[in-house]
Amino acid sequence: MNLIATSSRFFAALLLVLLPFDAGADERFEAEERQHRAILASDPSNRAGQLGLARVHLWRGEYREAERRFGLLLRDSPNDAGALMGWAQAAYWSGDYRAAKKRFERILEVDPSNSDAKKALDDLRIVAAPRYEISGATSDDTQPMRHLGTYARLSYFSDPLTRWDARISAGRVEDDATNDALNLRGLAVGLTTAIPRFRLTVAASAERIAFEDDTSETLASGSLTWRVRSAEIALAADQYPLLGTATAIVSRETATRLRLTYRHEPAIGWQGAVNVERVAYSDENRGRGADLYLLMPILQRAVTPGATQTHGRLAIRAGFSAAIRDTEEDRFRFTSFRSEAIDGGFAYRFSGVYDPYWTPHDLREARVIGAVETSLRRATIKVQADAGIARERARAFGPATGETQIPQFTFPILLERTHHPWRSAIEITIPINGRAEFRARFRHEAAAFYDLNEFQASVGGRL
């Protein structure tokens, strides 16, 4: 089965269906455009008609054409207030904050009392303010494994579209069954910058992870993200440590993942994503997969809790997700057995672990999803849950019976396994003041081979 080829064809077809399209978007401004073009047909130099047509392009989101038309107006009249504002707004709304900053400053040179330009520059200063985050997390699962971690991150903007990140982290992974433990520290640096002309965002980072026995790993990542209307198409490659199983404490394998993603996640309306990926493990194994999700709005409205409380909002979404996963080589190994006397011999029951990472085989999974988000007074609360069915080929061991209490030999077999994965999570965000917020999140997950509880808390904001 060529998993990637099959999934790529399926998701490529689905992508054409999911691409955002608003059939009435152009029609809203057709009448006004016809009016301005009629004026220009009889008088090509009419500035009111030229300015009106440039604004139609601006409101439609045709920012490059709007910039061109406002620029032509400014070439003849450099201090035209209407053209200057449209020229600046075209850069601002398209996300070109570098150009927008210069253009709004130009407006204030011409008109120092212009409140719209002042507000836009204040907003840009907020966008480009240095930011920080301090976070801690703990998790435990039924392998049994425990993970503790903290990190602090500082972000600095060298210009409104270029962000530099520095992060320090420390963590500990414990195997409660064997008392094995691993302490690690990390130092990461990253750069993210936007190229508005091509609607492109480029990001790159590198992290040095040091372990307690003086060994270390350097891991890198990078991505290209292309904005398409209200959606994104991203190509990303990243390296990461494999510390999701208790046995990984000793082996410390890493993985390199190449991922292509289409994502549509506006605050209002439907949300969805499609993802295809390949994974190369440091022990020469290979994996691949694809997944998608779609959430449709069920209810979105403002709410008024009471006479003494401020207005809030309520959003309810529901949808589904699907995923397929496969791995070339299995990493599930035999660890122990139990035997029980039966007529004529013994029945065996074998146990094993994924060492050092989970290796799904022909996994097919489908889930239903529900999500609720509400904001009342100062807090925003998000609740999400999903559940479904998954089937995969899982490694087991034989023989099932024998004549002796201790099996004289074992051999691996692949069986079709069905299980019912599910997740639930709740997150609360509380503003501390106008510059910082507190966030806490709890998640429970039931997977094929463990149940997990995880708690995260963070404080972050702008300096």
Side-chain angles (χ1 to χ4, degrees):
M1 175 183 180
N2 191 333
L3 181 70
I4 288 296
T6 302
S7 60
S8 298
R9 287 194 295 269
F10 171 70
F11 290 131
L14 182 66
L15 181 60
L16 297 176
V17 178
L18 295 182
L19 277 170
F21 176 69
D22 184 356
D26 288 338
E27 296 177 2
R28 301 174 200 168
F29 307 110
E30 280 186 357
E32 190 165 348
E33 181 182 2
R34 284 195 299 269
Q35 176 184 349
H36 295 308
R37 290 194 181 277
I39 293 172
L40 293 174
S42 59
D43 181 8
S45 62
N46 186 289
R47 289 190 64 84
Q50 292 173 343
L51 185 60
L53 187 57
R55 284 172 174 163
V56 168
H57 286 292
L58 176 66
W59 296 331
R60 277 179 171 168
E62 299 166 352
Y63 302 123
R64 189 173 297 181
E65 178 63 16
E67 279 190 282
R68 187 185 72 82
R69 291 183 176 275
F70 286 124
L72 290 174
L73 288 166
L74 291 171
R75 186 176 61 185
D76 297 331
S77 181
N79 294 332
D80 184 305
L84 278 172
M85 179 58 70
W87 192 48
Q89 287 174 330
Y92 191 24
W93 295 355
S94 70
D96 189 352
Y97 297 152
R98 296 187 193 99
K101 181 175 181 294
K102 295 177 182 178
R103 295 175 188 181
F104 283 120
E105 289 172 345
R106 167 87 177 277
I107 292 173
L108 290 181
E109 290 175 2
V110 175
D111 179 12
S113 63
N114 191 298
S115 60
D116 291 334
K118 288 180 179 179
K119 183 180 185 306
L121 287 171
D122 287 341
D123 292 341
L124 285 170
R125 278 190 284 270
I126 293 174
V127 168
R131 298 181 180 274
Y132 70 92
E133 183 180 7
I134 301 170
S135 177
T138 178
S139 66
D140 61 84
D141 62 44
T142 53
Q143 295 184 71
M145 179 181 174
R146 186 181 305 274
H147 186 194
L148 304 170
T150 61
Y151 75 81
R153 181 177 63 201
L154 178 65
S155 300
Y156 170 76
F157 289 82
S158 55
D159 67 56
L161 291 179
T162 302
R163 188 184 78 232
W164 299 83
D165 296 306
R167 187 184 70 173
I168 56 174
S169 60
R172 180 177 175 84
V173 184
E174 302 173 350
D175 182 346
D176 290 344
T178 63
N179 292 323
D180 288 336
L182 177 66
N183 294 313
L184 60 155
R185 303 181 306 278
L187 174 62
V189 292
L191 168 66
T192 303
T193 189
I195 308 174
R197 181 177 182 82
F198 301 105
R199 300 181 179 180
L200 191 66
T201 299
V202 182
S205 66
E207 182 175 17
R208 185 73 170 177
I209 299 177
F211 302 101
E212 58 186 339
D213 58 1
D214 295 329
T215 62
S216 60
E217 292 276 357
T218 299
L219 306 175
S221 65
S223 66
L224 297 173
T225 304
W226 182 41
R227 188 78 180 173
V228 186
R229 295 188 182 180
S230 59
E232 294 178 344
I233 297 175
L235 178 64
D238 63 304
Q239 295 177 299
Y240 53 96
L242 294 168
L243 297 174
T245 64
T247 52
I249 293 174
V250 178
S251 61
R252 305 178 195 174
E253 300 289 348
T254 61
T256 301
R257 176 174 51 198
L258 181 64
R259 174 181 294 181
L260 178 63
T261 302
Y262 166 82
R263 184 182 302 109
H264 179 264
E265 295 181 338
I268 298 175
W270 68 270
Q271 297 180 345
V274 181
N275 175 75
V276 179
E277 64 181 39
R278 291 186 66 93
V279 183
Y281 299 97
S282 55
D283 61 359
E284 305 302 324
N285 200 2
R286 296 289 184 271
R288 48 201 166 272
D291 55 76
L292 66 87
Y293 83 88
L294 179 65
L295 284 175
M296 301 299 296
I298 303 300
L299 175 66
Q300 293 183 327
R301 65 180 177 87
V303 296
T304 307
T308 60
Q309 293 181 314
T310 58
H311 288 269
R313 61 186 176 86
L314 173 66
I316 301 175
R317 292 184 173 92
F320 70 93
S321 68
I324 50 179
R325 296 278 186 271
D326 193 28
T327 317
E328 289 182 359
E329 299 178 11
D330 198 283
R331 292 295 183 263
F332 191 77
R333 63 174 176 84
F334 164 75
T335 55
S336 62
F337 74 93
R338 285 165 35 188
S339 61
E340 180 181 350
I342 59 174
D343 292 341
F346 294 86
Y348 305 130
R349 185 171 183 178
F350 299 92
S351 299
V353 295
Y354 285 102
D355 183 12
Y357 52 86
W358 176 49
T359 49
H361 287 293
D362 290 335
L363 172 68
R364 294 139 292 161
E365 176 185 290
R367 305 191 191 200
V368 293
I369 310 171
V372 178
E373 179 177 348
T374 182
S375 60
L376 297 173
R377 296 177 67 89
R378 292 173 54 83
T380 298
I381 301 172
K382 299 178 182 179
V383 179
Q384 182 166 321
D386 59 63
I389 185 170
R391 293 179 180 175
E392 64 177 323
R393 290 190 301 130
R395 173 171 283 193
F397 300 94
T401 60
E403 297 179 355
T404 60
Q405 185 174 8
I406 299 176
Q408 296 182 353
F409 60 91
T410 63
F411 55 86
I413 55 177
L414 284 175
L415 301 175
E416 189 79 11
R417 174 174 67 180
T418 300
H419 55 96
H420 298 278
W422 65 277
R423 278 182 300 231
S424 62
I426 181 170
E427 178 180 289
I428 182 169
T429 303
I430 302 174
I432 299 173
N433 51 42
R435 305 175 70 91
E437 65 181 21
F438 169 79
R439 180 175 298 168
R441 182 173 184 264
F442 175 79
R443 175 172 69 99
H444 177 83
E445 180 173 357
F449 64 101
Y450 69 76
D451 285 5
L452 168 76
N453 290 307
E454 180 184 63
F455 176 75
Q456 298 174 316
S458 66
V459 175
R462 54 188 175 88
L463 298 174

